[in-house]
Structure formats: structure tokens, C-alpha cells
Amino acid sequence: MSIAKPASGLRADGSASISDSPRDPRDPREANPAVAYSRIAAPPASECAWCGHQFGGEDTRRPGRIRCAKCGVATTSPWPSDEQLGEAYAPWYRPEGGRFSGFGDKVLRRMRSTLANRLHRVLPEGPILDVGAGDGNLIAAFRRNGREAVGVDPYAAKNHPHVRAVELEEMTGAWSAVIFWHSLEHLRRPVQSLRHAAGLVAPGGVLVVAVPNATSLQARVFGDYWLALDLPRHLVHISPQALLSQIEALGFRVERVSYTRGGQVLFGWLHGLVVRLPGHPDLYDAIRRTEARQGAAGPAVRLYALAAAVVALPFALIGSAIEVAARSGGSIYVEARREE
Ligand SMILES: [Zn+2]
């Protein structure tokens, strides 16, 4: 078994491939697939994972994170160990049968298709690289359009035909687009990864990034209970300003910014309103399939969460409308083009 094999169909035209670095024989997944695997070293605990600023008295400490006074991005603190991340990404997190009950997974697939169809129309010819591709839904949607598409995800299932269990930094080549769909915040060195991705985008190609908006109205209203804090999986908590200035510093022209396209706006409000009720019912867990739940909540608690969500819906709609109108939505979506 080797990760050094080039991505099939891509090397032939020289456009893109996985670099020929030899496989590390100490790859911990070989011994224990549950252990988190990353070749990327964690940043020192004393510094901002976004900008490298040394934390001091001026930085804001909150439960589970420190907000950098210099760049405004918060770093998860204490930083999770490999073992903690391994548990956080254990098979329950993304079971083969899908994460959500009933039509939830269908809705997600439909949203991925809409995104892929639109990007397929606006992108120049060439292959697509999806960073943190997970179960490969976005890749599959591009491939239905006849577009070459490959994903990388260190936690990908083995033997996925188009999603490779490698780090972004192991990829080379020239790509029409590199997409971070809610994955940048999971990476140990997000700016280093953005820089590597920028080097993979062909002239005229596009960098696409969607992340939770850590300065959104819902993030501020729900604080430590905000859905998209998602500790310990989210290692950085990014502001639109920090993201946009970094992308521009890499030589990209920002063409589209959306506070709705990245999703998680209405659900962020619903989850936040429900979890503040007595007993802190977890709506996100309640809508997941049995095998995809982290908590051990019984049917009564799940029913309580779902009923509360119905009552909370009008308030969640109002909150969503206010934050989107104020360009402070629960997620930020950016498309930026590399100059020709
Ligand atoms: Zn910083």
C-alpha cells in the first residue's frame, strides 16, 4: 500500500499529482486507524495558530480558546492531543451510511450538487482539488458534471476511489480550483495550508473557502455554546477580516463573499436557541443517525430537542435574517481568483 501513487488520470497530462514523497513507515494509522494522523506539526502552545503571534496578557482567554489580539483569530486551547483528535474523528463522526437521519443527508447532497454545478460553470478548465473531502459528496457532484476532481482527507476511508488519505501539503500540480469546504478550521497550520493551496491554483484558477464566521452575530450571542466552536475538531476560529486579508496577501482577487452560501446560518441559530434550554438538549446530535451520535441521549431527550427546535424556528429565522442583512452571518464563503 502506498500513497506515492499518482492520482490516476491526472499525471498523464502533467496537470496534477500527489508528490512522490515516500510513505512514512511509522504512519500511526497502520498500527491503529483510530489515532489521528497528521504529518503537519502542531504550532507551539504559546502562539496563535493563524499568525504566529506569541500569546501574552493582551490576548482574550475564553473556555477552550484564546483570541489573538493581533489578528483576531482564536486558537483552540488547550490544543488537543493526537489521541483526543483520533477520538473526535472516530468512525461515529462520519459513518459509512451517512451522518443524518431521513432526508438530512439528501439535503446535504443537494447543497453540494448546487455548489459543484455553479462552480463548474464559472471555473476554467482543469481538475478540482477538494481539501477535507470527507465522504466525497462534493467530488462526486463535480464528477457528475464530467469534471476531473480529487479529494484529500487524512481521515478518509481507505480505498475511496477519489479521496486520498494524505495531507494537502503532499499534493502538487496545477488545479483549476482548490476548495476548502469547512475544512480550513480543522487544519493544524491553516495559513501554511492556504499558502500551499495558493501555489496549486493555476493562473486564472480559483480558491474557494467556506468557514464558520467566529465574529458572526450567532457566535457572539451563543458564546461558549455556539455550534461551530466544535471543540476540539475546530483548531482555529476565523474572522472574515483575517481570512480575506490572508487570501489577498497570497495574490488572489476576491470575487465573491457570501454570508449565506457557506450554510450553517439557520441551523446555527436553531442549535444555539435549543441548547440554552434546561438540560442543554443537543439538536445536532438529535438529528444524527443512531450510529453517528456522540452523546447517549435517549429518545425522550431527542424528542425534547426536536420539539424545542420547532418552537424556536421563528426566532431562529429572525436571528438569521438580521445577521445576514448585517453581513455577519454564521459562516463566510469566499471565491478568489489568481491573477492570469
Ligand atoms: Zn494571530
Side-chain angles (χ1 to χ4, degrees), residues 289-302:
R289 289 177 196 263
T290 311
E291 66 273 24
R293 287 183 200 130
Q294 183 174 30
V301 174
R302 288 202 304 280

Side-chain angles (χ1 to χ4, degrees), residues 278-304:
H280 305 304
D282 187 330
L283 184 59
Y284 187 64
D285 230 33
I287 64 165
R288 290 166 73 95
R289 289 177 196 263
T290 311
E291 66 273 24
R293 287 183 200 130
Q294 183 174 30
V301 174
R302 288 202 304 280
L303 194 63
Y304 169 38

